Amino acid sequence: MKTTTIYDVAKEAGVSIASVSNAINGKGNISKKKREEIFKVMERLQYQPSVIASALMGKKTFTLGLLIPDVSNPFFSEIARSVEDLAHHAGYSVIVCSTDNKDERVEKYIRLLEQKSVDGIIIGTGVENTEILLQLAEKSVPIIMIAREVSAMSVHSVLTDDFKGGSLAAQHLLKLGHSRMAVLSENFKVSSSVERVKGFKFALFEAGLAIEADDILSCESTIKDGKRAAAELIRRGNSPTALFCVNDMLAIGALQAAKEAGVRVPEELSVIGFDNTILSTVTNPMLTTIAQPMEQMVKLAFDLLISHSEQEDTIKQRIVMQPELIVRESTSKPKL
Amino acid sequence: MKTTTIYDVAKEAGVSIASVSNAINGKGNISKKKREEIFKVMERLQYQPSVIASALMGKKTFTLGLLIPDVSNPFFSEIARSVEDLAHHAGYSVIVCSTDNKDERVEKYIRLLEQKSVDGIIIGTGVENTEILLQLAEKSVPIIMIAREVSAMSVHSVLTDDFKGGSLAAQHLLKLGHSRMAVLSENFKVSSSVERVKGFKFALFEAGLAIEADDILSCESTIKDGKRAAAELIRRGNSPTALFCVNDMLAIGALQAAKEAGVRVPEELSVIGFDNTILSTVTNPMLTTIAQPMEQMVKLAFDLLISHSEQEDTIKQRIVMQPELIVRESTSKPKL
DNA sequence: CTGAAAGCGCTTACAG
DNA sequence: CTGAAAGCGCTTACAG
């Protein structure tokens, strides 16, 4: 079926295509009468302007790219939803790109998004080879980082104070009376994880405690991996009384490992997560965790991205948000 | 920064833009020498063809739309990931559209997708006013329904045998020895839910049992709603020994209600869900549920959509997949 | 206030 | 094998 074009409505309305275009965009001067006439015809013909064509004329595509490690991970799917809602509200659509934290995927996706002339890219994924992003930042497409950071990058970024978040976790555990703690960390290449661990250690240090290198386990970021690592920790015996997990996935793994080993949470082992994903409300016991103000972060990021695309030369901002402790059921005083 | 166009590489390579285009698309005949020359120049200039421009010439946009109720719902975010992977592999990107099962959002998104000339739309969301879809089906953009159905629609669809799924749940409970059961159903407008409940009731009927109208509760599809409905059921007293929830979200709500009321699952109340989302492995007890073969379904849907876009006239297919019972910890024999 | 014309970056017959 | 030219559906100066 032939789609109706601006020519069809121009002919039907007895005007030039320029007038139709002007009517649509509220540009130029058109007599009220003609405008109304044109709108009527558009309606009757069910005319839909082609954003493809108008994009080719240098207008926006009203499409945004969102790079995240994995949409099927609740933390990121929640981000995706927030982005989508804001975008939709502003007339944009969003192309979701799951990178699995693989640089090659990042690169491939970025190239794709460039070819499609997206109006901006929101990056919520880690990148090892920061060259990729630096190059991208040089180009014309506006980008912004969210919940991730690449050092010394000249791009806007909005993130949580991960160091503070780690400290918060430690302080909570400290206050409950724990002194022997362990941590499950994601792959040390993820900057946010590193910061969280640092913050955790620092708070311990301030309290006059130290954490043994042995008690900091590194693993991938899946439930399964968290479970494996936690199981190992438990098997070792002489276990800590509390476990800080750098994200909720790992914490859930830890919960499962404890359950299998017959270790009661929180009575025998307190577990604290990070991110406050929906998962943390679903476990039993429900997970104590550190929340990032994701909705606000997404809002800030989005606004920055969109306004940025208007005024090229704004100074790159780095907005840091405050994390918050959410106490639920997985932490308590250590058993004597 | 001016982006480099086909003209730039043509000039640089000393050929016409037609030759560059031919080289890129492997069309026409170009001497090997010229082709290589051209590719070298493209590389050097970091030339990226504009899909916008080529789309305007009637080529594909290599963009797909995905309509689902909510990306932040694990069931759908898993679908989104599968779709994305297949799409990416085939060179497509996907625009994710969360509809909240609202017709107005469906309409708005569809219009947006049309204006962007997507190559196809995957619909995994319910629609009340089927007119919307019927109209869409008349148009040129190929569509396919997944995990949802709109009666009498002349579109491809791939779905699970929800009736069978409901029966499976009932049979499992029956076999365990339950005779007094209740069901938590989503909004009766969702076709798949209706089928599931029907299947459940039918299996009961075959076993010579009936279910009282009172014991079939309808609610929205959130954890909170499931919790509220289940709490009501429990509060009523004279409770059933088993509860079939039409999806995992509701089942989780039921688990929470039981926990709050001090009703032990599965000892005092068996709970069975539907969808086998990641959530069902995270609860404690882990959720017995009915799985849909989502990956296969997405694969079939995707292939159908893409091939469909090539050959307009294929007969509309309706592919039905078999559900599977996944027994975990939330169901057991009823306490005497 | 309105329209003819050029142009966005490509692809595709069509000559040569 | 190669290039000139028309055209995809728009927008935007520029005349009138």
Side-chain angles (χ1 to χ4, degrees):
Chain A
M1 200 178 75
K2 195 84 178 48
T3 52
T4 79
T5 72
I6 200 170
Y7 288 96
D8 301 317
V9 354
K11 194 193 291 177
E12 190 73 12
V15 296
S16 73
I17 59 164
S19 293
V20 177
S21 176
N22 284 332
I24 295 173
N25 300 303
K27 285 260 187 89
N29 299 321
I30 309 182
S31 62
K32 212 168 183 176
K33 202 179 141 198
K34 278 221 158 143
R35 197 206 335 270
E36 279 167 7
E37 176 70 20
I38 289 171
F39 275 117
K40 245 179 234 157
V41 175
M42 291 200 301
E43 184 109 352
R44 177 148 46 83
L45 267 45
Q46 294 199 56
Y47 169 66
Q48 313 244 58
S50 157
V51 331
I52 294 286
S54 86
L56 192 54
M57 280 306 297
K59 310 280 276 192
K60 301 205 238 179
T61 53
F62 286 97
T63 306
L64 261 29
L66 173 65
L67 259 54
I68 47 180
D70 182 8
V71 235
S72 73
N73 174 318
F75 177 64
F76 296 107
S77 68
E78 284 165 28
I79 293 183
R81 179 51 137 111
S82 300
V83 171
E84 192 205 316
D85 281 344
L86 287 171
H88 188 220
H89 197 78
Y92 291 80
S93 3
V94 5
I95 294 179
V96 171
C97 310
S98 295
T99 67
D100 285 331
N101 279 321
K102 299 234 172 63
D103 276 13
E104 58 179 275
R105 283 184 71 111
V106 173
E107 279 190 277
K108 210 173 150 202
Y109 266 125
I110 285 180
R111 210 168 312 132
L112 223 63
L113 293 173
E114 284 184 298
Q115 288 178 205
K116 296 196 174 166
S117 310
V118 295
D119 297 329
I121 303 182
I122 298 175
I123 301 178
T125 187
V127 183
E128 269 187 65
N129 176 6
T130 56
E131 262 312 306
I132 302 171
L133 294 186
L134 290 172
Q135 271 178 34
L136 181 59
E138 306 267 289
K139 301 202 184 164
S140 49
V141 42
I143 65 182
I144 187 164
M145 310 254 342
I146 183 165
R148 301 281 164 141
E149 190 168 25
V150 172
S151 55
M153 267 258 299
S154 54
V155 290
H156 291 303
S157 61
V158 8
L159 33 97
T160 299
D161 188 337
D162 289 300
F163 185 93
K164 174 85 173 292
S167 300
L168 245 35
Q171 284 157 12
H172 172 62
L173 262 16
L174 249 12
K175 203 152 119 192
L176 287 170
H178 293 272
S179 56
R180 174 83 199 289
M181 310 178 206
V183 356
L184 246 57
S185 176
E186 192 179 5
N187 192 322
F188 286 126
K189 278 177 256 165
V190 179
S191 60
S192 56
S193 299
V194 173
E195 284 303 304
R196 290 170 196 182
V197 175
K198 273 193 199 162
F200 188 82
K201 285 163 81 173
F202 183 72
L204 253 45
F205 169 74
E206 280 198 313
L209 292 174
I211 189 165
E212 292 172 41
D214 261 13
D215 286 340
I216 301 185
L217 306 193
S218 161
C219 52
E220 293 304 300
S221 191
T222 64
I223 293 179
K224 205 172 275 181
D225 255 56
K227 183 174 176 182
R228 188 178 327 140
E232 189 195 318
L233 197 69
I234 292 170
R235 198 178 327 108
R236 270 197 334 224
N238 178 224
S239 304
T241 58
L243 183 56
F244 170 49
C245 301
V246 116
N247 64 234
D248 285 349
M249 294 300 235
L250 296 182
I252 286 162
L255 250 31
Q256 294 184 348
K259 182 180 171 188
E260 274 192 13
V263 172
R264 283 176 308 147
V265 176
E267 293 82 356
E268 300 176 80
L269 178 68
S270 284
V271 174
I272 182 167
F274 210 114
D275 287 344
N276 192 33
T277 59
I278 188 178
L279 297 178
S280 61
T281 67
V282 155
T283 55
N284 182 17
M286 291 194 280
L287 210 54
T288 293
T289 190
I290 306 291
Q292 306 189 50
M294 282 315 309
E295 276 204 40
Q296 287 177 54
M297 288 169 66
V298 168
K299 175 90 173 94
L300 286 167
F302 185 83
D303 290 345
L304 223 48
L305 186 68
I306 297 305
S307 70
H308 175 42
S309 61
E310 254 114 62
Q311 37 190 45
E312 177 61 60
D313 52 320
T314 30
I315 293 172
K316 305 308 177 193
Q317 296 195 40
R318 181 174 179 280
I319 301 178
V320 180
M321 308 292 286
Q322 290 308 305
E324 188 188 351
L325 171 70
I326 309 285
V327 178
R328 282 196 270 253
E329 307 169 338
S330 65
T331 50
S332 71
K333 286 185 236 179
K335 206 178 52 172
L336 295 188
Chain B
M1 201 177 78
K2 195 84 180 45
T3 53
T4 80
T5 73
I6 200 171
Y7 288 95
D8 300 317
V9 354
K11 193 194 291 176
E12 190 73 13
V15 297
S16 72
I17 59 164
S19 293
V20 177
S21 176
N22 284 331
I24 294 172
N25 300 303
K27 285 263 187 84
N29 299 321
I30 309 182
S31 61
K32 214 170 185 174
K33 203 178 140 200
K34 282 223 157 144
R35 198 208 331 271
E36 280 167 6
E37 176 69 19
I38 290 171
F39 276 116
K40 247 180 234 157
V41 175
M42 292 200 299
E43 184 111 354
R44 178 148 44 84
L45 268 45
Q46 295 199 55
Y47 169 66
Q48 313 244 57
S50 156
V51 333
I52 295 285
S54 88
L56 192 55
M57 282 304 298
K59 309 281 278 196
K60 300 205 239 180
T61 54
F62 286 98
T63 306
L64 261 28
L66 174 65
L67 258 56
I68 48 180
D70 181 8
V71 237
S72 72
N73 174 318
F75 177 64
F76 296 106
S77 68
E78 284 165 29
I79 293 182
R81 179 52 136 112
S82 300
V83 171
E84 192 205 317
D85 281 345
L86 287 171
H88 187 219
H89 196 80
Y92 291 80
S93 2
V94 4
I95 293 179
V96 171
C97 310
S98 296
T99 67
D100 285 331
N101 280 320
K102 298 234 172 63
D103 276 13
E104 56 179 276
R105 283 183 70 110
V106 172
E107 278 190 277
K108 210 173 149 202
Y109 266 126
I110 285 180
R111 212 168 311 132
L112 223 63
L113 293 173
E114 285 184 298
Q115 288 178 203
K116 297 197 174 164
S117 310
V118 295
D119 297 328
I121 303 182
I122 299 175
I123 301 178
T125 186
V127 183
E128 269 188 64
N129 176 6
T130 56
E131 262 313 304
I132 301 171
L133 294 186
L134 290 171
Q135 272 179 32
L136 181 59
E138 306 266 290
K139 300 200 184 166
S140 49
V141 42
I143 65 182
I144 187 163
M145 309 254 344
I146 183 164
R148 300 281 163 140
E149 189 168 27
V150 172
S151 57
M153 268 258 298
S154 53
V155 290
H156 292 301
S157 60
V158 8
L159 33 96
T160 300
D161 188 337
D162 289 299
F163 185 94
K164 175 87 172 292
S167 300
L168 244 36
Q171 284 157 13
H172 172 62
L173 261 16
L174 250 11
K175 205 152 118 192
L176 287 171
H178 293 273
S179 56
R180 174 83 198 289
M181 309 178 208
V183 356
L184 246 56
S185 176
E186 191 178 8
N187 193 322
F188 286 126
K189 278 176 252 165
V190 179
S191 60
S192 56
S193 298
V194 173
E195 284 303 304
R196 291 169 195 182
V197 175
K198 273 193 198 162
F200 188 84
K201 285 163 82 172
F202 183 72
L204 252 46
F205 169 75
E206 281 197 313
L209 292 174
I211 188 166
E212 292 173 42
D214 261 13
D215 286 340
I216 301 186
L217 306 193
S218 161
C219 52
E220 293 305 299
S221 191
T222 63
I223 294 179
K224 204 173 275 183
D225 254 56
K227 184 174 176 182
R228 187 179 327 142
E232 189 194 317
L233 197 69
I234 292 171
R235 199 178 327 110
R236 271 199 332 227
N238 179 225
S239 304
T241 58
L243 183 56
F244 170 48
C245 301
V246 117
N247 62 235
D248 285 350
M249 293 300 234
L250 297 181
I252 285 162
L255 249 32
Q256 294 183 347
K259 183 180 171 189
E260 275 193 11
V263 172
R264 283 175 309 149
V265 176
E267 293 81 355
E268 300 175 82
L269 179 67
S270 283
V271 174
I272 182 167
F274 210 114
D275 287 344
N276 193 33
T277 59
I278 188 180
L279 296 178
S280 62
T281 66
V282 155
T283 55
N284 181 17
M286 291 196 279
L287 209 54
T288 293
T289 191
I290 307 290
Q292 305 189 49
M294 282 314 310
E295 275 204 41
Q296 286 178 54
M297 288 169 65
V298 169
K299 174 90 174 96
L300 285 167
F302 186 83
D303 290 346
L304 224 48
L305 186 69
I306 298 304
S307 70
H308 176 41
S309 62
E310 253 114 62
Q311 36 190 47
E312 177 61 59
D313 52 320
T314 31
I315 293 171
K316 305 305 177 193
Q317 296 195 39
R318 180 174 180 280
I319 302 178
V320 179
M321 309 292 287
Q322 290 308 303
E324 189 189 350
L325 171 69
I326 309 285
V327 178
R328 281 196 270 255
E329 308 169 338
S330 66
T331 51
S332 71
K333 284 185 234 177
K335 207 177 52 175
L336 296 188

